[in-house]
Each structure stands twice: as C-alpha cells, then as structure tokens.
Amino acid sequence: MSSNDVSSIITSSFLKGILMGLKILWPLWLLIFATVLIKILFHLWELRRLSKSGIKEIDQMDGLTFEKYLQSLFRNLGYRVERTAYIGDYGADLIVSKDGIRTVVQAKRYSGKVNIKAIQEVVASKAKYHCTEAIVVTNSYFTKPAIELAKANGVKLWDRCICQVKNTPNFNQIFLHLVYKKLSNILTLYPFLRFFKSI
C-alpha cells in the first residue's frame, strides 16, 4: 500500500465519520438553526415595533428600550449605527455615522428636565469614540445651564418636540414647520421684528 492509498482511506473514513455525526445530530443542528432564526426575527420585529412608537410610548420606555428606539430611528434616517456597552459607555449610548461624519449620541429618557451632566458626559465621550459631533436626545426638555453648555461645546440637543416628529415620513416638512412656528411666536412677542414675517 502506498502512502496515497493510506491518506485516501483516512480521508474517506474521516468524511464518513463526519457524515454519520451529522446524520445522528441533525435534530440538534435544526434546533440551533431554529433558535438563531427566531432570535433574528424577534430582533427585527422589535425594531419595527419601536420605530412606530409615538411620544406616549416613548414616555413609558425604560432607558435601554429608549436606546433601542433611537437605534431604529437613526437607521430609518439613513445612519449606520453602533451601540456601545450598556454599562461603562463613557457617556455615549450610540455612535452614528453618515456621509463620513461620526456622531456620539447620549440618550436620556427622563420625566424631568435633563441637566448639565448629560452634556458633560457626551462632550467627554466625543473624544473617547473619535467623533466629530455630539447629540443628546431626550423625551423631555433641557435645563438652561445644559443648553448654554451645549451651545458652547457645539452639542446638538434634541428635545421632546423633535422626538415627536423625527419618526414621521415627512420629518423635514414638519421640522421646518416647527421652526417657522417658533419664529412666528418670537415675532409676535417682539413687535419691532414683525416686518421679517412678511419676507
């Protein structure tokens, strides 16, 4: 017997052993495949359900579910989304990328106003995750010091008003309408600026 014959017999025996093992263990493989498929389908269903959530549902969410909601929202807006660790995230819940710009996102699902600490955390995490922009998103509103610090550090703030319209199909139109509405309110408060309204 040559060495080629011995190696072909060993290879043949090895392949037969693998095939026998697969035949015997096929129910286990089927169970593993079914489990993975169910997990994937559940994850997709959950993201779809979350993306349809309104502000009332958002107010009932816990922090982790709110992060998942934002993950779905940013994906729907065309961003590539990375989730950070839930604990020890250095103040970043999501890293979103679009058009070569990396943005760190801090999610705050609060019942009260979001304070300055959230802004400090997202500014620190911006450098940690090598991002050029930062956003803090809340279902609530921000305190005045938080708004001032955000402005000084170039942090974008998305409050309750934006959360209510971000997941609608006509977001740009609604956002422009909100801006126009706020400007109209300012113009009515300061009569000397009314001539701008006719422009």
Side-chain angles (χ1 to χ4, degrees):
M1 242 190 204
S2 72
S3 64
N4 284 342
D5 292 338
V6 171
S7 66
S8 67
I9 291 172
I10 291 173
T11 305
S12 172
S13 298
F14 179 72
L15 290 175
K16 284 180 184 177
I18 288 178
L19 288 174
M20 285 295 281
L22 289 175
K23 285 181 184 178
I24 294 170
L25 297 175
W26 74 265
L28 179 64
W29 291 110
L30 182 63
L31 181 64
I32 291 170
F33 176 75
T35 304
V36 169
L37 183 64
I38 289 170
K39 282 187 173 191
I40 290 170
L41 290 174
F42 177 76
H43 180 70
L44 292 173
W45 172 81
E46 184 180 37
L47 287 178
R48 183 174 165 85
R49 180 184 58 83
L50 286 173
S51 70
K52 293 181 179 182
S53 297
I55 196 68
K56 288 180 184 177
E57 292 87 4
I58 292 170
D59 287 340
Q60 301 304 315
M61 293 177 182
D62 62 4
L64 182 60
T65 308
F66 185 55
E67 288 178 23
K68 289 179 182 178
Y69 164 76
L70 290 177
Q71 178 183 1
S72 174
L73 175 68
F74 278 105
R75 279 203 178 117
N76 288 341
L77 293 172
Y79 288 85
R80 189 174 66 77
V81 181
E82 303 169 40
R83 294 202 47 209
T84 61
Y86 187 62
I87 297 173
D89 59 13
Y90 299 98
D93 297 311
L94 302 172
I95 309 297
V96 298
S97 306
K98 187 175 184 180
D99 302 327
I101 299 170
R102 284 176 54 89
T103 305
V104 65
V105 178
Q106 170 76 287
K108 292 294 182 187
R109 215 279 319 141
Y110 276 16
S111 53
K113 288 187 174 185
V114 177
N115 62 26
I116 200 167
K117 185 175 183 270
I119 312 306
Q120 293 168 336
E121 289 174 354
V122 81
V123 168
S125 67
K126 191 172 148 181
K128 165 74 176 147
Y129 291 102
H130 311 289
C131 295
T132 54
E133 295 188 6
I135 302 173
V136 180
V137 184
T138 184
N139 65 315
S140 184
Y141 298 99
F142 296 92
T143 63
K144 188 175 180 181
I147 293 169
E148 290 172 0
L149 185 62
K151 195 178 290 185
N153 286 283
V155 175
K156 295 177 185 172
L157 302 178
W158 289 7
D159 65 6
R160 186 174 188 85
C161 296
I162 292 178
C163 280
Q164 290 183 62
V165 296
K166 270 290 188 188
N167 60 353
T168 61
N170 299 334
F171 164 71
N172 290 332
Q173 292 174 341
I174 294 170
F175 184 73
L176 289 174
H177 176 72
L178 276 175
V179 170
Y180 177 76
K181 199 171 169 184
K182 286 193 181 218
L183 285 175
S184 294
N185 291 342
I186 291 169
L187 293 176
T188 55
L189 291 174
Y190 301 100
F192 65 92
L193 295 175
R194 283 195 184 151
F195 73 94
F196 286 112
K197 196 169 185 175
S198 61
I199 297 176

